[in-house]
């Protein structure tokens, strides 16, 4: 009996992992706020839609202000906004029978969800409303497409450039930012300083801070991660391996590997005055268009400037920005798809995007938005990013449903590479071996 | 006449026990209903899903044993299994050793005994997320308190969570910090051991070592058995610490493996397969594999327990 009881107890306890999954579904979303609550006019029938996005705090507040403008355009649609929503919350909502109607999510997630039938095909609404889809940044728009149908629409966009500390470069005798990766490497070594213990006090650039920015350096070097014609992963192409050689050079060769790992671990919090670019612990940062807004807030005295990413000599025309879009989705489970699309269309128009981009410091996801005077008049620091994003070789992440797995694999080997577990070549061969089967499987579906 | 009948006869129509039993059932009902809906049903459902390809949005497709076979060709799964086994074997072993050791020390008649007991138990009260966050900073290679102390005494300073070699020992260190829960059970167990057993050893000329090996350890073996089984189950289910540690390294929720997958544990990997990659069939198969594995390990330990567990009087 004792044994039976113990076994039963073991069974019950080990099952708690299932219960853990169930428990996460009961988490209560926080941060409710409502926008567009204008009273319905006369006898007009109103539709209430739920919009869930991932932004928080001040950004969410600015977003709510922009959304409130929608009620003037469509008083018959009331938008209930829920901020700080996560991927998990959205997933659970979509399967719960009481789904939100419009969601903002990441590019890799939008593609995954649309490939599984979770999202509504917006094509009929796009056709009915005659929305001009050619105005959307093409590589981002493609992320939302499957077999010519549109399941997600890009909304706001990020791109990354090279920010540099002018004072540090001037002390080391440089008057202009690097144009090539050789110059970049040389400048990084020149500004490197040791402290009394022989540890790094300052280095040029740390490629793993604040996170693994996977495609920016490869794209700047003219590499691609995927060939849509042949459905081949290009992780082990010479160009991608060379890009990872460049990344790895900041943790090896001139640099002491263990000391670099130690230095990286001590770098301060990203969105704070302790950010190493603000404190002068690094001379360069590869950062997005929102970062100048951070500088104003946390380090207004910083003497900085921004430049395009370095290039590889002879491959200048292939060098392009990495474009990362937020994606607006309508779940298949939404009961108000028509009203939801009306909101999506308004939000992605210049009237919806520009005021938000000005306030939050983001780029719009449309070609007209990238040229908008209103955008630059409102936030001049966005101009260089908009120009860089408009270069013809700019690319987004590959529009494939296994991009989540692909990017996780890339960032995992990048981390391992900095820890000397793999050479760049080995790291990329491993990703190729792990991810190509997913591409093959997808082709068969 | 059975006891039950006697009871019924005595109490008659207005049975206070019966109404109390109803009330008791009412109070128990939320848990039972919750268990049926949120534990038992998912468990049965996952058994079915484990034989299907299921992404939450389209109907499950029957794939037979494919998910179970694929597990062994999946490198992430192998990492997760190996890391969890490491955590369970080394972590639980050390946890038990340290718990007994501390419990024996705290049972000694020294001044401020209750104070020390409280101090050693306190970390067990810290919520796992808060505890993990504290340790991320204590173990920071550059500014962490642990490395500052090691530096002061001239010892090498590991890179802890930033290194594939040291990350698992670091996670185990976090586990050992919260040893209070196990320790307190041992402490209670030691308190139950009659004093005269030790007196007998003293009369026979035995020392402290004999007292421990001949009395304390054998009489604590039922507790040890319980702690081992509990520890193994908790070890395989470990999620919070690994998840928090990965996120504080400034990465996306999907990147939960730590440096070189050295912190990819079973439960977070399973979670990622389901909730990020939408492979709920595959994740269900992994959950069932863990259940069967834990049952098997528990069974083996229970079988072996006849040889080493002593159920006192």
């Amino acid at each position: 009996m004792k044994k039976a009881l113990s076994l039963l107890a073991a069974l019950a306890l080990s099952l708690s992992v299932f219960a853990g999954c169930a428990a996460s579904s009961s988490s209560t979303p926080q941060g409710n706020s409502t926008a567009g609550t204008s009273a319905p006019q006369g006898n007009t029938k109103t539709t209430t839609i739920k919009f869930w996005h991932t932004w928080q705090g001040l950004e969410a507040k600015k977003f709510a202000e922009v959304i409130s403008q929608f009620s003037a355009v469509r008083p018959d649609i009331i938008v209930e906004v829920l901020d700080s929503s996560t991927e998990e919350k959205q997933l659970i909502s979509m399967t719960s029978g009481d789904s939100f109607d419009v969601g903002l999510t990441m590019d890799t997630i939008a593609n995954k969800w649309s490939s599984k039938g979770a999202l509504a095909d917006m094509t009929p609404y796009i056709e009915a409303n005659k929305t001009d889809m050619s105005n959307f940044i093409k590589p981002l728009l493609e992320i939302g497409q499957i077999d010519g149908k549109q399941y997600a629409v890009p909304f706001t966009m990020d791109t990354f450039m090279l920010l540099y500390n002018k004072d540090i470069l001037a002390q080391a005798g440089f008057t202009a930012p690097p144009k090539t990766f050789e110059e970049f490497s040389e400048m990084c070594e020149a500004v490197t300083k040791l402290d009394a213990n022989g540890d790094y006090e300052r280095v040029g650039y740390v490629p793993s801070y604040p996170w693994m920015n996977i495609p920016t350096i490869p794209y700047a070097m003219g590499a691609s991660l995927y060939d849509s014609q042949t459905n081949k992963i290009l992780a082990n192409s010479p160009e991608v391996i060379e890009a990872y050689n460049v990344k790895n050079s900041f943790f090896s060769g001139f640099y002491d590997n263990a000391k670099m790992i130690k230095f990286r671990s001590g770098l301060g919090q990203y969105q704070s005055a302790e950010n190493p670019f603000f404190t002068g612990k690094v001379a360069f940062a590869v950062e997005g268009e929102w970062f100048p807004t951070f500088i104003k807030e946390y380090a207004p005295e910083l003497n900085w400037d921004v430049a395009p990413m370095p290039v590889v000599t002879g491959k200048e025309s292939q060098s392009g920005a990495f474009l990362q879009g937020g994606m607006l989705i309508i779940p298949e489970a939404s009961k108000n798809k028509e009203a939801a699309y009306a909101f999506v269309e308004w939000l992605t128009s210049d009237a919806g995007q520009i005021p938000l981009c000005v306030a939050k410091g983001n780029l719009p996801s449309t070609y007209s938005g990238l040229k908008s005077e209103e955008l630059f008049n409102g936030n001049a620091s966005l101009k260089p990013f908009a120009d860089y994003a408009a270069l013809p070789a700019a690319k987004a992440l590959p529009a494939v449903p296994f991009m989540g797995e692909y990017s996780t694999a890339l960032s995992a080997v990048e981390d391992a590479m900095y820890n000397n577990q793999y050479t760049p070549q080995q790291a990329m061969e491993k990703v190729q071996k792990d991810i190509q089967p997913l591409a093959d499987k997808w082709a068969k579906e | 006449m059975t006891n039950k009948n006697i009871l019924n006869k005595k109490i008659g129509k207005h049975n206070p026990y019966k109404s109390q039993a109803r009330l008791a059932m009412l109070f128990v009902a939320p848990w039972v209903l919750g268990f049926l809906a949120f534990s038992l049903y998912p468990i049965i459902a996952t058994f079915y899903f484990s034989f299907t390809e299921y992404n939450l949005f389209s109907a499950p497709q029957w794939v037979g044993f494919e998910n179970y076979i694929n597990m062994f060709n999946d490198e992430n799964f192998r990492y997760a299994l190996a890391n969890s086994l490491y955590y369970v074997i080394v972590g639980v072993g050390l946890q038990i050793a340290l718990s007994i050791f501390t419990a024996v020390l705290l049972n000694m008649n020294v001044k401020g005994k209750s104070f020390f007991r409280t101090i050693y138990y306190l970390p067990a009260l810290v919520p796992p997320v808060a505890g993990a966050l504290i340790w991320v900073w204590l173990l920071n290679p550059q500014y962490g308190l642990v490395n500052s102390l090691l530096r002061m005494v001239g010892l090498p300073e590991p890179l802890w969570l930033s290194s594939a070699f040291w990350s698992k020992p670091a996670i185990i260190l976090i586990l050992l910090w919260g040893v209070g829960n196990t320790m307190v059970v041992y402490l209670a167990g030691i308190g139950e051991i009659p004093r005269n057993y030790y007196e007998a050893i003293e009369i026979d000329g035995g020392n402290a070592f004999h007292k421990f090996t001949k009395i304390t350890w054998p009489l604590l073996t039922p507790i040890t058995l319980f702690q081992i089984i509990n520890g193994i189950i908790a070890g395989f289910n470990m999620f919070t610490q690994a998840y928090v540690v990965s996120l504080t390294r400034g990465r996306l929720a999907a990147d939960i493996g730590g440096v070189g997958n050295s912190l990819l544990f079973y439960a977070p990997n399973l979670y990622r397969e389901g909730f990020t990659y939408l492979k709920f069939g595959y994740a269900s198969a992994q959950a069932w594999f863990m259940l069967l594995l834990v049952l098997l390990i528990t069974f083996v330990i229970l079988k072996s327990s006849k040889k080493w567990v002593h159920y006192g009087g």
Side-chain angles (χ1 to χ4, degrees), chain B residues 24-202:
Chain B
M25 270 184 229
L26 195 68
F27 279 114
V28 171
W31 187 89
V32 172
L33 290 177
F35 175 75
L36 292 177
F38 298 117
S39 294
L40 194 65
Y41 167 69
I43 289 162
I44 294 166
T46 52
F47 184 66
Y48 166 64
F49 292 145
S50 75
F51 295 101
T52 66
E53 190 171 311
Y54 179 46
N55 63 35
L56 280 188
F57 296 101
S58 13
Q61 303 281 325
W62 186 263
V63 293
F65 282 93
E66 196 183 298
N67 288 328
Y68 289 92
I69 296 163
N70 285 349
M71 260 183 233
F72 297 95
N73 299 320
D74 174 359
E75 200 182 37
N76 284 340
F77 174 78
R78 291 202 302 264
Y79 268 121
L81 184 61
N83 287 338
S84 285
L85 281 173
Y86 178 111
Y87 181 77
V88 162
I89 294 167
V90 180
V92 174
L94 287 173
Q95 187 186 26
I96 287 173
L98 190 69
S99 307
I100 297 185
F101 180 70
T102 341
V104 169
L105 283 187
L106 292 178
N107 198 49
M108 286 174 169
N109 270 326
V110 287
K111 232 181 181 180
K113 195 162 79 173
S114 341
F115 172 76
F116 287 116
R117 284 181 175 188
T118 314
I119 289 288
Y120 277 85
Y121 183 69
L122 267 184
L125 297 174
V126 177
V129 172
L133 285 173
I134 292 169
W135 276 96
V136 163
W137 277 106
L138 286 176
L139 292 174
N140 183 286
Q142 179 104 329
Y143 301 113
L145 193 66
V146 174
N147 275 7
S148 301
L149 293 173
L150 292 175
R151 197 177 312 143
M152 272 164 62
V153 292
L155 285 172
E157 299 164 46
L159 294 167
W160 297 117
L161 295 163
S162 303
S163 127
F165 182 78
W166 283 101
S167 56
K168 272 190 288 289
I171 285 273
I172 288 172
L173 198 62
I174 301 176
L175 166 80
L176 295 182
W177 182 62
V179 86
N181 273 332
T182 343
M183 180 202 76
V184 93
V185 179
Y186 275 118
L187 207 52
I190 294 174
E192 292 289 306
I193 301 173
R195 281 289 319 148
N196 52 6
Y197 289 9
Y198 293 109
E199 282 160 9
I201 286 231
E202 279 167 19

Side-chain angles (χ1 to χ4, degrees), chain A residues 179-229:
Chain A
K179 291 202 168 46
T180 64
F181 277 98
E182 287 82 17
E183 284 177 23
F184 183 36
S185 172
E186 188 190 318
M187 288 186 189
C188 286
E189 289 176 15
V191 300
T192 299
K193 257 171 63 174
L194 299 177
D195 66 13
N197 296 326
D199 289 330
Y200 290 117
E201 187 179 318
R202 181 175 76 201
V203 301
Y205 171 59
V206 180
S208 61
Y209 182 89
W211 48 71
M212 308 290 166
N213 184 326
I214 292 164
T216 298
I217 288 181
Y219 286 3
M221 293 176 71
S224 293
L225 293 173
Y226 174 72
D227 182 356
S228 60
Q229 302 295 319

